[in-house]
Amino acid sequence: MRDDSPNSWEARADAHSFYGFTDLPSVRDRGAVVLTHGQGPYVFDVHGRQYLDANSGLWNMVAGFDHPGLAEAAKAQYDRFPGYHAFFGRMSDQTVMLSEKLIEVSPFERGKVFYTNSGSEANDTMVKMLWFLSGSEGKPERRKILTRKNGYHGVTAVAASMTGKPYNSVFGLPLDGFIHLTCPHYWREGHEGESEAEFTASMARELEEVIAREGADTIAGFFAEPVMGAGGVIPPSEGYFQAIQPILKKHGIPLIADEVICGFGRCGEVWGSTAYDFVPDAIISSKNLTAGYFPMGAVILGPELTDKLQDASDAIEEFPHGFTASGHPVGCAVALKAIDIILNEGLMENVRTLTPKFEAGLQRLLDHPNIGEARGKGLMGAVEAVRDKATKTPFEGHLSVSERIANTCTDHGLICRPLGQAVVLCPAFVMTEPQMDEMFEKLELALRQVFAEVA
Ligand SMILES: *Cc1c(COP(=O)(O)O)cnc(C)c1O
């Protein structure tokens, strides 16, 4: 499989690049896939092999890999003003315009935006904002952060503490005061005989209990992805946000929507929170924000948090936080173009058009005896592999079933991602119907092959 000559790309990748979030036995066996370029939703490796990337890179390359408008917007801005910060009361005109645009397309009637380089930093920034408010309002003990198991919020020390995944224990995380509630995944977490409505009510009850146990005045905020992404594409149970938001409101706890994946069209609406019919107190955005063409994140504050943070900052004459590249002019120019492309050039429209076909494709996979659940929202979906469908028993961990499926897909020219025992699909918004057929055909082929090996 892998080219083992000393100067091969695979050997060179191994020699000097430290792999993150990579199954090392797989890469040792198969070699890294070293890519040279892309076209629409396809990427090409150094051996000239073509892959349909069913994950849009890492959820983010929604306009495909060769969108001329985005490259032009970046080039034009590099020629005009290639870099600047947003400190000391200075910022680029592009930054001003992007903030206006983000508030215009936000669910808020007014608000303010703070820029970062990534989704993790945006979550860290939001937590620091909440901690800053607590101190400033004379409630320094109000610091705890509530999230959910399987929620993914990033990798910096705070964002990793928010993330509800067991792998962070290798870093001695989470930090104190980060509390993970039950994942609202009815199929996996619901009890025998429990209806979905009862399950949702139990999620609300748990939240009430945690708030009572910890004390409402020790809790700074609740963060949730509208649909959990890296946790395995897990839509909330029916009525979940309608059940929890009133509880949070009653206790004065802000609800922050981590829209890093859902935001800008993934669920068929600009925001995942809109798709689930709630308005959060702030939004965390990244990934699609620049269609993956520039690293950038943003905290978008609703009116109440804007006013409170403005007052807190006025009191000490500054908000002492920011990154060197916050509000980078090229990133902002690219984001303005990406938003325009998604909203006005038919990308989000295409998500809506393709969604029924996507859902039907996922449902068809459920016919397979070793697929236990097919789930999703808009153009994000997953199928969950199981040893036994009736009891929902997973395959034995040592079989690495989802890794095998992903590797077999790669052999067939399809890139998709294993997550736990699930395989995730989140195609680019520019995908065509024939490309979607190709995606499902290749995945189906790989599933049949792997299940024949392990079942
Ligand atoms: C990817 C992701 C993040 C982290 O973003 P990075 O840019 O990788 O730091 C945060 N939240 C969610 C929901 C994500 O999917």
Side-chain angles (χ1 to χ4, degrees), residues 330-377:
V330 176
C332 290
V334 170
L336 280 162
K337 186 68 190 174
I339 294 167
D340 190 40
I341 288 168
I342 292 170
L343 301 188
N344 306 323
E345 288 183 24
L347 261 65
M348 197 167 75
E349 205 47 49
N350 200 41
V351 173
R352 291 189 183 144
T353 306
L354 284 176
T355 293
K357 187 179 173 69
F358 184 64
E359 287 173 348
L362 290 169
Q363 284 304 314
R364 259 197 318 280
L365 295 173
L366 199 51
D367 290 342
H368 202 283
N370 293 108
I371 294 295
E373 191 191 31
R375 53 179 185 255
K377 181 83 175 170

Side-chain angles (χ1 to χ4, degrees), residues 59 117-121 123 152-155 225 229-230 258-261 284 286-287:
W59 318 84
N117 309 298
S118 69
S120 302
E121 291 169 352
N123 276 314
Y152 183 85
H153 300 287
V155 296
E225 300 157 86
D258 184 342
E259 296 260 12
V260 169
I261 286 175
I284 307 299
S286 187
K287 292 199 170 98

Side-chain angles (χ1 to χ4, degrees), residues 13-233:
D14 279 356
H16 296 115
S17 298
F18 203 88
Y19 300 107
F21 283 125
T22 293
D23 182 56
L24 295 175
S26 283
V27 91
R28 213 159 281 142
D29 187 36
R30 304 168 54 87
V33 177
V34 181
L35 300 164
T36 53
H37 65 291
Q39 191 176 24
Y42 295 96
V43 290
F44 297 82
D45 73 10
V46 285
H47 306 292
R49 288 188 213 110
Q50 175 176 331
Y51 305 88
L52 179 57
D53 191 337
N55 287 165
S56 323
L58 217 38
W59 318 84
N60 57 346
M61 303 299 293
V62 295
F65 293 96
D66 59 350
H67 197 289
L70 289 166
E72 274 160 25
K75 171 77 165 67
Q77 187 56 35
Y78 273 122
D79 289 343
R80 196 169 158 262
F81 193 35
Y84 210 73
H85 59 78
F87 287 17
F88 320 129
R90 298 194 279 278
M91 68 178 69
S92 81
D93 53 1
Q94 302 298 310
T95 315
V96 174
M97 290 191 286
L98 180 60
S99 299
E100 287 170 350
K101 175 56 74 178
L102 286 173
I103 296 305
E104 180 197 320
V105 302
S106 80
F108 309 127
E109 76 267 21
R110 62 189 178 83
K112 288 193 176 184
V113 183
F114 197 95
Y115 296 101
T116 67
N117 309 298
S118 69
S120 302
E121 291 169 352
N123 276 314
D124 270 56
T125 295
M126 187 71 242
V127 169
K128 282 182 74 179
M129 284 174 162
L130 294 170
W131 286 349
F132 174 47
L133 268 188
S134 297
S136 156
E137 292 174 358
K139 302 195 161 166
E141 71 291 348
R142 196 177 66 200
R143 289 180 73 80
K144 290 174 192 164
I145 300 295
L146 305 185
T147 59
R148 290 94 48 81
K149 293 193 183 89
N150 279 324
Y152 183 85
H153 300 287
V155 296
T156 48
V158 159
S161 295
M162 295 162 67
T163 292
K165 299 273 214 165
Y167 53 70
N168 281 316
S169 65
V170 302
F171 305 109
L173 294 172
L175 299 168
D176 283 347
F178 288 80
I179 298 165
H180 303 112
L181 285 80
T182 301
C183 175
H185 187 189
Y186 175 56
W187 178 79
R188 180 53 78 196
E189 302 291 338
H191 294 112
E192 187 80 39
E194 189 178 36
S195 74
E196 189 160 352
E198 287 164 350
F199 174 73
T200 297
S202 78
M203 297 295 95
R205 225 166 23 247
E206 180 194 41
L207 176 61
E208 284 275 22
E209 283 161 13
V210 168
I211 294 171
R213 181 188 77 207
E214 302 291 333
D217 51 6
T218 70
I219 300 171
F222 180 102
F223 287 67
E225 300 157 86
V227 178
M228 288 182 180
V233 183

Side-chain angles (χ1 to χ4, degrees), residues 389-410:
K389 204 160 169 159
T391 59
K392 305 177 185 175
T393 311
F395 280 101
E396 298 73 13
H398 70 89
L399 291 174
S400 304
V401 164
S402 58
E403 286 293 344
R404 277 192 209 218
I405 296 168
N407 288 339
T408 309
C409 284
T410 308

